Amino acid sequence: MRIFFTLVRRDLLVAYRRRMDVLVSLIFFVIVVSLFPLGVGPERETLRLIAPGVVWVAALLSAMLALPRLFAADHQDGTLEQMLLAPFPLSAIVLAKVLAHWLVSGLPLAFMAPVLGLQFDLPTSALLVLLASLLLGTPALSLIGAIGAALTLGLRGGGVLLSLLVLPLYIPVLIFGAGAVETTMMGMTPEGHLSLLGAFLILAVLATPFVAAAALRIALE
Amino acid sequence: MNWGSWSAFWHMGGYGLYVWGSYGVTLLCLAGEIWLLGRRRRTLLARLNQMLRLSRQNGNETPT
Amino acid sequence: MKINWFKSASPATFYPLAGRMIPWFSTAAALLCAVGLYVSFFLAPTDATQGEAYRIIFIHVPAAWMSMFIYLVMAFWAGIGLAFNTRLSSMMAQALAPTGAMFTFVALWTGALWGKPTWGTWWVWDARLTSELILLFLYLGYLALTAAIDDTRRADKAGAILALVGAVNVPIIYFSVQWWNTLHQGASVSLTRAPSMARIMLIGMLLMGLAAWMYSIAAALSRVRLIILEREKNTAWVREVLEREA
């Protein structure tokens, strides 16, 4: 258990030393969300309608852009191969890395989102549900993304290939995440959607570390 | 028999574009896949035969 | 049992075997297709609501069936290759992918052409068609990943993981898309709400489905032979094959 948290702390430290990378994802998120009104027009009703989907898609894309960072640095300096040989289970190492990764990339996105939601004139209840849905959804995105990052480790065309692999798998999370906010805006309770997001998250936590670990072994052998 | 005449058949009750557009593109895809497989086979065999010839030449030139 | 057979079947023995099987499957495909087309165009009556446009289902539905079936078979063989380290299984998975992607594209194309006269738009965001689109993305992802990895063993294994993850996700994706569709549209526009099937229409679809199945097997066997040649090109038995066929 102590090793687990040491790993998380180590990755957080590495991320802190490369603060700019983390900030870049956040700035990307803000820019993408702002692009939509520019493309669609400033009409308030329209913006309110598309807001949940737009914010969620932008969060998805930002989360995805941050994924190569998960394993790339350790892969380049050989640390990753050492991790494979460590007596500590690889799936636990993956989980620790994903947790650290989510804390610096997913969590800020979730808290940034309600602020951006204000740009779209969303009611407060919707903003809260937006936050909740992203808090539940972004960890799942990081976990699923870890599989993609492991599969494409060191490949040419890496980032774009990673998106192609991972985006279809993101779709259920997107549907229920944005759906939760939309349901709130229609006056109904988002409990069902949020529960499903929670279920996805639990499934992801239980299953994806093992798959990502297997993918890492395949990439490194 | 459903059709009064061949022209009625091609006309498909006004939906000819859609029906034949579907069947036509499908036929194109199938033919395309078969042709691509054939081309892959031809180039592969040509390349392998060339490799074989080269290796035999090199084998003969090596003094024993 | 099939699995044991593949464990002991080497690419060298499978190559000629597949070669002998291809003509049988191709002929079966052609015959079934001919009968199927006859049923589709000359025996099945005109639909009351959709007119002649409905005849597109005789391609659309079999293509959709095959696209999903091939994905599962591909994931199966890829999984076998990953679990038992059998080379031929992984080659089979790679051989199936392009044909599966092709059928997915056909399903989408015919779906669009069916949607236009029936519902007025070229694209209908109903659950089935949207899921087909996502399936196409899954196929393309598999093809892209295996193409991007030069080392064949890594390509096979990475592709297997991706295919298996995709296969597990397909029901989740389908369920989510169904939910999304009913939430937004009230499901009034749906390609699944096909005309109440006269039995002859069902027979037509089944015949075309079987034809597509036979074709897929023939295509996959042809392709796997090419993959075998490419990968085994330095072995003696390939040299003999080349000399015989020259």
Side-chain angles (χ1 to χ4, degrees):
Chain A
M1 215 40 188
R2 228 178 336 125
I3 306 179
F4 184 83
F5 285 112
T6 314
L7 275 168
V8 175
R9 249 194 327 218
R10 171 197 171 266
D11 270 28
L12 286 176
L13 192 59
V14 170
Y16 178 73
R17 294 209 186 108
R18 303 198 177 151
R19 291 192 287 286
M20 222 30 224
D21 289 353
V22 173
L23 279 175
V24 162
S25 305
L26 203 55
I27 297 170
F28 177 80
F29 180 48
V30 175
I31 294 181
V32 169
V33 171
S34 309
L35 283 177
F36 278 87
L38 290 168
V40 165
E43 212 273 295
R44 219 192 289 169
E45 266 311 308
T46 319
L47 290 183
R48 207 179 292 141
L49 263 175
I50 65 173
V54 162
V55 175
W56 252 96
V57 170
L60 218 135
L61 294 175
S62 313
M64 204 187 59
L65 275 188
L67 281 175
R69 251 193 291 127
L70 189 54
F71 297 123
D74 285 342
H75 177 54
Q76 271 169 351
D77 62 14
T79 321
L80 203 54
E81 272 147 336
Q82 295 300 313
M83 287 177 174
L84 243 75
L85 299 169
F88 198 61
L90 189 58
S91 42
I93 297 178
V94 167
L95 196 55
K97 292 184 73 62
V98 170
L99 177 59
H101 184 259
W102 174 73
L103 285 173
V104 294
S105 60
L107 193 58
L109 284 181
F111 281 105
M112 193 71 209
V115 176
L116 295 172
L118 284 173
Q119 274 186 311
F120 289 78
D121 194 33
L122 288 181
T124 321
S125 56
L127 293 175
L128 286 172
V129 174
L130 183 59
L131 174 63
S133 66
L134 283 169
L135 281 175
L136 284 172
T138 43
L141 296 181
S142 295
L143 284 164
I144 298 171
I147 301 179
L151 285 172
T152 55
L153 197 60
L155 292 180
R156 57 177 191 273
V160 180
L161 179 61
L162 176 58
S163 351
L164 177 57
L165 301 186
V166 143
L167 284 176
L169 302 174
Y170 275 359
I171 289 173
V173 179
L174 170 64
I175 289 178
F176 288 103
V181 185
E182 283 153 6
T183 319
T184 314
M185 284 163 64
M186 288 198 281
M188 298 181 281
T189 168
E191 261 175 34
H193 289 82
L194 291 176
S195 322
L196 259 164
L197 279 179
F200 284 156
L201 179 56
I202 294 175
L203 268 174
V205 170
L206 292 175
T208 57
F210 298 103
V211 182
L216 274 180
R217 286 222 172 77
I218 290 172
L220 289 173
E221 68 186 10
Chain B
M1 278 291 155
N2 286 330
W3 315 100
S5 64
W6 273 114
S7 66
F9 181 68
W10 293 118
H11 190 240
M12 274 289 152
Y15 296 114
L17 175 67
Y18 303 102
V19 175
W20 300 121
S22 301
Y23 281 82
V25 165
T26 310
L27 187 62
L28 272 173
C29 287
L30 293 173
E33 182 173 28
I34 297 173
W35 181 77
L36 281 172
L37 273 172
R39 195 181 68 162
R40 184 173 170 181
R41 181 178 173 81
R42 281 191 299 274
T43 41
L44 178 63
L45 285 179
R47 190 162 52 93
L48 291 181
N49 275 318
Q50 192 185 41
M51 277 172 53
L52 195 60
R53 251 179 291 124
L54 285 173
S55 75
R56 252 194 250 119
Q57 273 180 5
N58 291 338
N60 287 337
E61 283 168 3
T62 313
T64 42
Chain C
M1 267 216 58
K2 231 183 187 172
I3 298 178
N4 286 328
W5 185 67
F6 260 99
K7 266 177 86 171
S8 48
S10 66
T13 45
F14 191 70
Y15 181 83
L17 178 63
R20 287 194 294 275
M21 290 199 281
I22 292 172
W24 290 103
F25 285 108
S26 312
T27 320
L31 286 174
L32 284 163
C33 186
V35 178
L37 284 175
Y38 178 75
V39 171
S40 312
F41 281 108
F42 297 109
L43 290 184
T46 311
D47 177 65
T49 40
Q50 293 187 15
E52 305 297 344
Y54 94 99
R55 292 192 197 272
I56 297 178
I57 56 161
F58 295 115
I59 293 205
H60 174 77
V61 172
W65 284 342
M66 284 319 298
S67 69
M68 289 185 274
F69 181 58
I70 292 180
Y71 193 86
L72 291 174
V73 176
M74 177 183 102
F76 172 75
W77 285 123
I80 297 281
L82 183 66
F84 298 109
N85 237 328
T86 46
R87 292 170 296 157
L88 194 55
S89 324
S90 307
M91 293 189 215
M92 202 61 209
Q94 296 226 24
L96 285 163
T99 309
M102 187 266 292
F103 275 118
T104 317
F105 171 75
V106 167
L108 289 171
W109 176 271
T110 52
L113 276 142
W114 187 16
K116 181 65 172 149
T118 319
W119 307 111
T121 49
W122 285 110
W123 183 259
V124 178
W125 287 100
D126 87 324
R128 255 246 313 271
L129 214 52
T130 310
S131 299
E132 269 309 298
L133 183 63
I134 300 175
L135 186 64
L136 181 63
F137 297 151
L138 289 175
Y139 270 115
L140 293 177
Y142 177 85
L143 288 167
L145 181 65
T146 48
I149 303 178
D150 294 325
D151 172 25
T152 45
R153 279 191 76 229
R154 178 179 167 186
D156 286 344
K157 293 185 173 186
I161 292 204
L162 186 65
L164 289 169
V165 169
V168 162
N169 269 282
V170 160
I172 301 179
I173 292 175
Y174 186 70
F175 162 70
S176 308
V177 171
Q178 276 274 2
W179 177 279
W180 163 82
N181 193 49
T182 52
L183 179 71
H184 287 263
Q185 272 184 354
S188 58
V189 175
S190 171
L191 287 177
T192 51
R193 191 91 55 74
S196 51
M197 281 289 139
R199 210 170 43 167
I200 190 73
M201 298 179 189
L202 204 55
I203 292 178
M205 285 200 302
L206 281 171
L207 283 169
M208 294 302 277
L210 284 172
W213 190 13
M214 296 295 110
Y215 168 83
S216 306
I217 297 179
L221 287 175
S222 311
R223 196 174 284 112
V224 87
R225 275 167 47 101
L226 295 177
I227 296 177
I228 291 175
L229 283 183
E230 279 162 5
R231 293 195 186 185
E232 305 276 297
K233 58 180 177 275
N234 293 317
T235 56
W237 74 267
V238 170
R239 219 164 290 157
E240 287 170 27
V241 164
L242 288 174
E243 282 164 7
R244 243 186 297 124
E245 296 200 10

